[in-house]
Amino acid sequence: MRRLRTAGLALLGATLAASVTASPAQASPGETRTVCADSMTPDGWVDVNWGTSASCRVMSGSNIKMIKQLDGLPVGTQVNACASAQPPKGWTKIQTYYSGGCVVFVNSSFTPNAWLLQKTS
């Protein structure tokens, strides 16, 4: 039974590593991916949600994030994004607000932590 559990965890880890290391260039505009929180948000992507999962290293707070590919979206598109990564070039912050899905650290206040972004160029 222990070998089966170990093999299952190894497979889960390999699957997660493959999804984290997949090239951002292979993503479609608007595509989302879930990655471990200690992964850098690639250029052209924004963080759109934070959470916890046993599949990533345990930290004091959220340990996974959902990221969204913004490259290739048409001008005028609006996207809600966490303020944990700067928006790509050509995107403007339209509004700042608090989002429960963007809480990165435990005991976070209701300080604005998210943006409404709009593609301007």
Side-chain angles (χ1 to χ4, degrees):
M1 186 63 134
R2 186 174 184 178
R3 285 184 183 169
L4 181 59
R5 185 177 68 178
T6 303
L9 288 174
L11 180 60
L12 176 65
T15 302
L16 183 60
S19 69
V20 170
T21 58
S23 170
Q26 298 170 348
S28 302
E31 182 177 331
T32 60
R33 294 187 182 164
T34 300
V35 298
C36 292
D38 56 0
S39 302
M40 293 290 292
T41 300
D43 291 339
W45 294 70
V46 292
D47 303 341
V48 293
N49 202 352
W50 285 79
T52 56
S53 171
S55 61
C56 291
R57 183 173 65 88
V58 176
M59 301 169 17
S60 62
S62 301
N63 69 345
I64 61 169
K65 61 184 174 180
M66 181 181 290
I67 59 175
K68 185 172 191 162
Q69 169 68 276
L70 298 187
D71 286 346
L73 292 173
V75 171
T77 300
Q78 292 186 345
V79 172
N80 292 301
C82 298
S84 49
Q86 287 297 316
K89 286 186 177 184
W91 288 83
T92 302
K93 298 172 196 172
I94 302 297
Q95 181 181 359
T96 301
Y97 61 96
Y98 173 83
S99 169
C102 291
V103 175
V104 178
F105 301 105
V106 178
N107 297 324
S108 183
S109 67
F110 290 104
T111 302
N113 62 353
W115 300 313
L116 175 62
L117 303 176
Q118 183 169 2
K119 176 121 184 214
T120 53
S121 61

